[in-house]
Amino acid sequence: DAKTTQPNSMESNEEEPVHLPCNHSTISGTDYIHWYRQLPSQGPEYVIHGLTSNVNNRMASLAIAEDRKSSTLILHRATLRDAAVYYCIPMDSNYQLIWGAGTKLIIKP
Amino acid sequence: ETGVTQSPTHLIKTRGQQVTLRCSSQSGHNTVSWYQQALGQGPQFIFQYYREEENGRGNFPPRFSGLQFPNYSSELNVNALELDDSALYLCASSRTGETQETQYFGPGTRLLVL
């Protein structure tokens, strides 16, 4: 299974962009990278996923390195409601998510 | 709101007892995955059910078992509870067959084993 490395925590100011890094150097060529987040006292929620090229949706952007060994989740304008634990997760060939410890994002007003 | 519901929300059991947790999947979803999340850690994959059959299992002992019903709802059963089983149990539903299916999570059941 592919392993991921993320910072334990990051801080950002409200209304500023946030770049959350993830290293996944052992990812296989066909594993997609998924990002989920978990707000306090809630179940995780899907944020975005991608394979090789950069992806955008209404919540965030995902920048994937050309060698696919790392990716960055970008929140363009963080709000207090974005304070959560963010998980970078390779999805294996059985469509099963393998989770690490994630990055706790702290947003300062 | 994901449309995935779990019951009960909280539960207290004693060591050695058995527990059943329930999950109703989102409409149109045929796959349910169960996760255990200890405090301060990421979710750990327990197993997945697709069309009433187990479709993959994580590193959990056989006393963790499950069922999926024809309406795609699911149960997680844990026998001979141990103190370390205290955790948040999450279920997620998805629609197998879609490329890179997204999983939709319920709010979880918090289990405390004394």
Side-chain angles (χ1 to χ4, degrees), chain A residues 22-85:
Chain A
C22 179
N23 288 322
H24 33 78
S25 58
T26 60
I27 193 172
S28 76
T30 56
D31 286 353
Y32 278 68
I33 296 296
H34 288 242
W35 284 80
Y36 281 72
R37 72 180 185 181
Q38 188 170 21
L39 279 64
S41 302
Q42 294 188 27
E45 67 171 340
Y46 168 80
V47 178
I48 200 167
H49 75 273
L51 182 63
T52 55
S53 53
N54 296 343
V55 184
N56 300 293
N57 66 20
R58 64 174 181 81
M59 289 182 70
S61 296
L62 177 60
I64 301 173
E66 199 170 328
D67 62 8
R68 292 193 3 103
K69 293 185 176 181
S70 65
S71 60
T72 302
L73 179 71
I74 303 163
L75 306 180
H76 295 285
R77 200 158 166 256
T79 70
L80 295 177
R81 288 176 294 180
D82 292 320
V85 179

Side-chain angles (χ1 to χ4, degrees), chain A residues 38-45, chain B residues 1-11 19-24 32-38 43 46 74 76 85-93 104-112:
Chain A
Q38 188 170 21
L39 279 64
S41 302
Q42 294 188 27
E45 67 171 340
Chain B
E1 288 292 329
T2 63
V4 179
T5 61
Q6 292 185 245
S7 62
T9 55
H10 296 81
L11 201 53
V19 69
T20 298
L21 310 182
R22 296 178 175 81
C23 173
S24 292
V32 174
S33 303
W34 284 93
Y35 296 86
Q36 180 194 67
Q37 186 174 26
I46 303 174
S74 177
L76 165 65
D85 296 333
S86 296
L88 180 68
Y89 288 85
L90 297 159
C91 81
S93 76
Y104 295 86
F105 284 81
T109 293
R110 187 160 298 279
L111 172 65
L112 177 61

Side-chain angles (χ1 to χ4, degrees), chain B residues 2-68:
Chain B
T2 63
V4 179
T5 61
Q6 292 185 245
S7 62
T9 55
H10 296 81
L11 201 53
I12 300 175
K13 291 285 189 177
T14 57
R15 196 169 49 181
Q17 285 188 311
Q18 177 266 343
V19 69
T20 298
L21 310 182
R22 296 178 175 81
C23 173
S24 292
S25 57
Q26 189 176 104
S27 177
H29 286 183
N30 56 14
T31 300
V32 174
S33 303
W34 284 93
Y35 296 86
Q36 180 194 67
Q37 186 174 26
L39 206 59
Q41 298 183 21
Q44 299 298 307
F45 174 69
I46 303 174
F47 44 56
Q48 182 182 83
Y49 277 82
Y50 169 60
R51 291 186 177 178
E52 303 177 56
E53 297 283 335
E54 189 177 287
N55 181 43
R57 188 179 183 93
N59 189 25
F60 281 81
R63 60 189 185 85
F64 285 78
S65 63
L67 282 173
Q68 188 179 32

